[in-house]
């Protein structure tokens, strides 16, 4: 037990790693991650600003987009403190409570993003398959209820995950593999029985990510069937074009997530930097690309950004 670090309250202190093997020469890493943070924070902030200002964007599709932007900001701000401390200031120690809090938010927002992408797919399904009933189905009250459902589901799952981890004793060398606190990393540190934690973690992956992705796929099967029934080729392409942004958001979220899950479960003998790179892609790429994709593909957002860039008064 001599290698364990404890603070004044008797709780363990964790050591962040950053890039394995490059702990003493990785200050340059933030010069790469810094622009990603900047694009994510500024881009998602602009999305929220434009949706708030543009009256014609006050409709369910853009309310869900705003929720996605809030979520992406949450992902960025969840990792920023320890990434900045580790790569720029070489402050690698983090308290037990801080690590639990960061782990909660790092996992809360991806779970929430999965739910947001699901309700956005439902929005696209209703808009394409039942366009005449769109306003009666997706009322403001239902949009609010769907948003609250996404938030509540994510909170309950991650709170339970955090509670199950906090009850365990930590008696190993508490060195983490990343510059932030992830559950797959922390779960290997307790010296107690982690069977329940592992089962519940797998349950979350299957019940949230597995179910959500399956429902999203099913919604697009229905959308594709409805689109193929349209006689005009131009109309089919125009209709499908309304789904491109959402499809891109789904792919850039779920593909890295699958990669992280597969690496964590089946890549135990892979080099440590593989796990680090996969987690960086999962946590940094979606928040950065989502606002870029929606800015390019959404005419109203693109037009508003153009006016802002040229300094037109509005």
């Amino acid at each position: 037990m001599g290698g364990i670090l404890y603070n004044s309250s008797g709780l363990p202190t964790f050591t962040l790693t950053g890039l394995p093997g490059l702990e003493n020469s990785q200050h340059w890493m933030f010069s790469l991650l810094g622009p990603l943070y900047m694009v994510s924070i500024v881009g998602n902030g602009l999305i929220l600003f434009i949706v708030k200002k543009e009256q014609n964007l006050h409709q369910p599709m853009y309310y869900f987009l705003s929720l996605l932007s809030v979520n992406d900001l949450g992902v960025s701000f969840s990792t920023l403190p320890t990434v900045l401390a580790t790569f720029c200031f070489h402050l690698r120690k983090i308290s037990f409570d801080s690590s639990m809090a960061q782990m909660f938010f790092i996992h809360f927002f991806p779970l929430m993003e999965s739910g947001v992408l699901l309700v956005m797919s439902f929005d696209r399904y209703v808009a394409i398959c039942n366009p005449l009933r769109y306003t009666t189905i997706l009322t403001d009250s239902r949009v609010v209820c769907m948003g609250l459902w996404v938030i509540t589901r994510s909170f309950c799952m991650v709170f339970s995950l955090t509670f199950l981890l906090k009850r365990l004793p930590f008696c190993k060398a508490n060195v983490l593999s990343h510059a932030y606190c992830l559950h797959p990393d922390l779960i290997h540190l307790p010296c107690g029985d982690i069977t329940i934690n592992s089962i519940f973690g797998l349950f979350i992956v299957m019940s949230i990510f597995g179910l959500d992705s399956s429902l999203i796929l099913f919604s697009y099967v229905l959308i594709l069937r409805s689109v193929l029934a349209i006689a005009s080729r131009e109309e089919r392409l125009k209709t499908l074009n309304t789904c491109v942004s959402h499809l891109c958001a789904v792919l850039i979220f779920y593909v890295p997530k699958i990669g992280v899950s597969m690496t964590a479960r089946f890549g135990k003998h892979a080099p440590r930097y593989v796990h680090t790179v996969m987690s960086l892609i999962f946590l940094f790429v979606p928040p950065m690309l989502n606002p870029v994709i929606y800015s390019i593909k959404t005419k109203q957002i693109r037009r508003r950004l153009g006016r802002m860039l040229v300094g037109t008064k509005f």
Side-chain angles (χ1 to χ4, degrees):
M1 305 223 355
I4 313 168
L5 294 170
Y6 288 94
N7 56 29
S8 59
S9 64
L11 295 174
T13 299
F14 297 103
T15 302
L16 302 167
T17 299
L19 293 177
L22 298 174
E23 289 82 3
N24 297 322
S25 59
Q26 58 188 9
H27 56 275
W28 55 267
M29 187 63 184
F30 195 79
S31 64
L32 299 178
L33 298 180
L36 301 185
Y37 276 119
M38 186 65 67
V39 172
S40 173
I41 294 170
V42 173
N44 286 293
L46 283 173
I47 294 289
L48 291 172
F49 174 79
I50 292 172
V51 171
K52 181 178 183 296
K53 290 294 184 180
E54 293 286 338
Q55 290 295 321
N56 60 344
L57 297 183
H58 292 182
Q59 48 185 295
M61 175 182 175
Y62 299 104
Y63 294 149
F64 294 139
L65 175 58
S66 297
L67 189 57
L68 183 65
S69 292
V70 169
N71 180 87
D72 286 340
L73 285 172
V75 173
S76 296
F77 285 121
S78 295
T79 60
L80 180 59
T82 54
V83 168
L84 184 65
T86 302
F87 290 125
C88 291
F89 303 108
H90 305 289
L91 302 174
R92 299 172 56 200
K93 298 296 187 291
I94 182 171
S95 68
F96 182 82
D97 289 335
S98 296
S99 66
M100 290 296 109
Q102 186 181 52
M103 188 201 79
F104 174 88
F105 287 111
I106 284 180
H107 290 281
F108 169 78
F109 288 112
L111 285 180
M112 182 174 157
E113 181 156 352
S114 180
V116 173
L117 292 173
L118 176 60
V119 296
M120 291 178 83
S121 71
F122 179 71
D123 169 86
R124 291 299 82 208
Y125 164 75
V126 175
I128 293 172
C129 300
N130 293 283
L132 298 179
R133 299 181 57 201
Y134 182 82
T135 55
T136 58
I137 294 176
L138 288 173
T139 60
D140 288 347
S141 60
R142 284 193 178 132
V143 170
V144 170
C145 288
M146 292 166 75
L148 289 175
W149 169 77
V150 168
I151 295 170
T152 303
R153 183 187 69 161
S154 303
F155 177 86
C156 292
M157 289 291 186
V158 183
F159 180 82
S160 301
L161 198 69
T162 307
F163 175 79
L164 288 172
L165 187 61
K166 287 188 70 173
R167 70 184 177 84
L168 295 172
F170 286 79
C171 56
K172 299 179 182 179
N174 297 320
V175 179
L176 302 178
S177 303
H178 307 282
Y180 35 78
C181 304
L182 297 176
H183 182 263
D185 203 9
L186 287 164
I187 199 176
H188 297 296
L189 301 181
C191 55
D193 185 7
I194 62 171
T195 302
I196 296 177
N197 302 68
S198 298
I199 292 174
F200 189 70
L202 182 60
F203 168 76
I204 290 178
V205 171
M206 297 300 294
S207 64
I208 302 289
F209 296 115
L211 180 61
D212 287 357
S213 59
S214 298
L215 291 174
I216 291 172
L217 178 61
F218 179 66
S219 70
Y220 272 100
V221 170
L222 298 178
I223 288 172
L224 188 59
R225 187 180 67 173
S226 178
V227 169
L228 291 176
I230 301 174
S232 170
R233 180 175 180 275
E234 289 73 18
E235 284 298 317
R236 287 200 297 267
L237 293 175
K238 183 179 178 181
T239 303
L240 285 174
N241 191 53
T242 63
C243 301
V244 171
S245 298
H246 179 254
L247 277 172
C248 290
V250 169
L251 289 175
I252 64 175
F253 175 76
Y254 280 107
V255 171
K257 174 58 185 174
I258 293 172
V260 168
S261 299
M262 296 293 287
T263 303
R265 283 167 175 76
F266 305 109
K268 295 180 180 179
H269 301 294
R272 289 174 61 192
Y273 69 82
V274 173
H275 298 267
T276 302
V277 170
M278 291 303 300
S279 69
L280 287 172
I281 293 173
F282 175 62
L283 291 171
F284 284 85
V285 171
M288 178 195 68
L289 288 184
N290 282 336
V292 174
I293 291 169
Y294 276 95
S295 297
I296 293 173
K297 295 298 297 181
T298 306
K299 184 189 301 182
Q300 296 93 326
I301 294 176
R302 190 168 64 246
R303 185 185 302 126
R304 179 77 180 206
L305 282 173
R307 293 207 303 265
M308 293 172 66
L309 289 174
V310 298
T312 304
K313 294 183 178 181
F314 45 88

